[in-house]
Amino acid sequence: MRRALGLARKAAELSEVPVGAVVVARSGHILSLAHNAPRGMVDPTAHAEILALRRAASVVKNYRLPGCVLYVTLEPCLMCLGAIVHARLETLVFGAFDPKSGVTGGAVDLTRLPFLNHTLKIVSGVCAQESSRILKTFFGERRQQGG
């Protein structure tokens, strides 16, 4: 999660919403690192989770990532949860809950929908205070700048 926090800080430096993500294989090997980049990539799907999953899938040459763990600093949104489920990740570890758009308990919990054909282990609140602080600082500065 420390690596993901560093990536979130890098995203903030680039004026992206500060979210970082890391995919780790069952062996403990880091498969991919990513941070939010929708503005820089001009791509609404360029969330940290999506980019990390794409890169990890490319490394293992398979769109399925069984046995892998995704560490992310902020609770995933609906789009990212869909990708996580399709990738068949074993575990999702996240920092801060997102009460506005989080879908693993923040705004709503969609992880136990009966029609989903994959369930994953979820560990929440890991480095939550630091994750929240990075986000609050980023948005506080944006408000002060009038943006």
Side-chain angles (χ1 to χ4, degrees):
M1 186 59 90
R2 293 281 166 216
R3 295 290 291 272
L5 288 164
L7 292 161
R9 287 186 198 92
K10 182 177 179 182
E13 291 170 9
L14 298 170
S15 298
E16 299 281 1
V17 173
V19 178
V22 178
V23 177
V24 178
R26 182 175 283 141
S27 67
H29 176 74
I30 292 176
L31 296 175
S32 65
L33 305 162
H35 60 74
N36 266 6
R39 293 179 64 159
M41 295 179 78
V42 193
D43 179 353
T45 69
H47 288 196
E49 301 95 312
I50 300 293
L51 296 174
L53 291 172
R54 286 178 183 160
R55 292 171 186 162
S58 180
V59 167
V60 300
K61 298 188 181 351
N62 189 343
Y63 72 104
R64 302 279 196 221
L65 300 168
C68 291
V69 178
L70 173 64
Y71 294 87
V72 63
T73 57
L74 182 64
E75 177 184 11
C77 70
L78 178 60
M79 174 183 69
C80 293
L81 179 64
I84 289 164
V85 169
H86 284 292
R88 304 296 194 266
L89 288 174
E90 181 175 305
T91 306
L92 165 66
V93 178
F94 70 88
F97 278 95
D98 183 347
K100 291 185 180 178
S101 61
V103 295
T104 63
V108 66
D109 185 356
L110 300 180
T111 62
R112 304 291 177 235
L113 292 173
F115 57 81
L116 292 180
N117 59 355
H118 176 69
T119 58
L120 65 152
K121 204 178 336 173
I122 298 175
V123 180
S124 60
V126 176
C127 299
Q129 287 182 331
E130 192 168 351
S131 296
S132 292
R133 185 171 46 252
I134 292 168
L135 286 157
K136 287 178 183 175
T137 299
F138 174 79
F139 286 113
E141 290 172 357
R142 296 256 320 227
R143 279 190 294 278
Q144 287 178 347
Q145 296 167 357

